[in-house]
Amino acid sequence: MDYRAKVDAVREQIARSCERSGRRQEDVLVIGVSKYVGVEETRSLIAAGIDHLGENRVQSAVPKISQIAEPVIWHFIGNLQTNKVKDILPLFAWIHSLDRLSLAKELQKQADKMDRVVNCLVQVNVSGEQSKSGLAIADTAPFLEQLRGLERIRVKGLMTMAPLVKDAEEVRPVFRRLRELRDSLLDDHPDLLHLSMGMSADFAVAVEEGATMVRLGSILMKP
Ligand SMILES: *Cc1c(COP(=O)(O)O)cnc(C)c1O
């Protein structure tokens, strides 16, 4: 697989979205979601210039990451069970799916044992779909207040997953809403700089609406 060509094509699309919205391309981080492929292909993706990688399952991520020596930064992007925190924390620098206090407390506890901090994004269910995890928009500010005492947790932004639609334009309001929510919280939470939003089908629109992290799997991985 020619990962280099795929990475270049994605960066080109991001550049165009940035141009359209007056943003800078270097403010958009590409996270390669390697959940579809094994160790060798993940390595090829890294060799093609992807140095931030995302995984959504503890079971498959842990053995894979243990076999990858390259100095990449790992992002946990899936639902996280509280009892799995101690398994993943040694491997991941970022957690995109912080959505409840019990999880935050366990992250605090395990990060404290490791004497480190953990970068977190609070997952928001903007679309309100039953099938999606994440906090309701109205619950986000109170949740951030609850996290204040947990000094090992660095809340760096918000994350959302948009509904699957045929035309990405349909989910533009979802991305815009997450940005507006973030903007409304910035006075009280000035570290809330990141917006993790946009996947293979909709990242161009997400970037136009302010995404600072796009999570790209199939567009990079599939032939
Ligand atoms: C799988 C996954 C992605 C990547 O999805 P693609 O549509 O393949 O790009 C992004 N975010 C999360 C949370 C995922 O589980």
Side-chain angles (χ1 to χ4, degrees):
M1 180 99 71
D2 188 356
Y3 285 122
R4 178 69 68 172
K6 288 178 180 291
V7 170
D8 287 349
V10 156
R11 293 207 194 280
E12 178 60 40
Q13 253 187 290
I14 290 173
R16 282 202 298 269
S17 287
C18 283
E19 237 166 70
R20 280 195 291 273
S21 52
R23 302 188 58 210
R24 303 185 313 169
Q25 191 179 355
E26 56 267 36
D27 293 337
V28 184
L29 177 68
V30 174
I31 299 172
V33 178
S34 49
K35 66 186 184 191
Y36 304 109
V37 298
V39 171
E40 285 317 312
E41 282 181 280
T42 302
R43 281 216 182 96
S44 307
L45 189 63
I46 296 167
I50 296 292
D51 53 2
H52 285 255
L53 288 168
E55 288 280 339
N56 71 334
R57 289 224 146 109
V58 176
Q59 260 202 314
S60 45
V62 169
K64 180 194 284 183
I65 296 175
S66 314
Q67 294 175 67
I68 292 179
E70 287 88 339
V72 290
I73 294 172
W74 292 93
H75 297 247
F76 193 84
I77 60 174
N79 294 334
L80 182 52
Q81 287 175 274
T82 305
N83 64 0
K84 294 290 184 344
V85 166
K86 60 179 173 321
D87 299 331
I88 64 139
L89 211 54
L91 303 173
F92 288 85
W94 289 78
I95 309 289
H96 288 229
S97 47
L98 178 55
D99 62 354
R100 59 194 191 280
L101 192 58
S102 56
L103 177 58
K105 285 183 172 163
E106 180 65 11
L107 285 163
Q108 162 73 24
K109 181 176 150 193
Q110 298 298 337
D112 198 51
K113 277 191 193 166
M114 293 170 62
D115 194 21
R116 59 167 276 201
V117 296
V118 53
N119 299 312
C120 291
L121 305 176
V122 169
Q123 185 169 357
V124 183
N125 186 358
V126 176
S127 63
E129 286 176 291
Q130 291 263 310
S131 61
K132 294 231 158 45
S133 20
L135 291 152
I137 286 176
D139 295 336
T140 305
F143 182 63
L144 289 171
E145 289 307 318
Q146 291 183 304
L147 298 181
R148 274 197 194 276
L150 307 178
E151 79 278 4
R152 298 287 179 176
I153 293 182
R154 297 283 148 83
V155 183
K156 300 279 197 174
L158 305 177
M159 178 273 218
T160 200
M161 288 180 76
L164 277 180
V165 291
K166 282 227 177 67
D167 178 1
E169 280 301 329
E170 285 179 53
V171 290
R172 184 184 291 277
V174 171
F175 298 137
R176 184 167 297 171
R177 192 69 194 84
L178 192 72
R179 170 166 47 90
E180 289 168 352
L181 175 62
R182 190 278 312 269
D183 291 349
S184 75
L185 296 165
L186 263 183
D187 274 351
D188 287 336
H189 305 278
D191 292 340
L192 226 51
L193 298 175
H194 282 288
L195 293 170
S196 170
M197 56 188 197
M199 313 191 345
S200 293
D202 53 24
F203 71 97
V205 172
V207 169
E208 287 174 19
E209 294 300 330
T212 65
M213 296 177 170
V214 291
R215 309 179 308 269
L216 303 181
S218 41
I219 198 170
L220 295 172
M221 244 61 74
K222 302 251 160 101

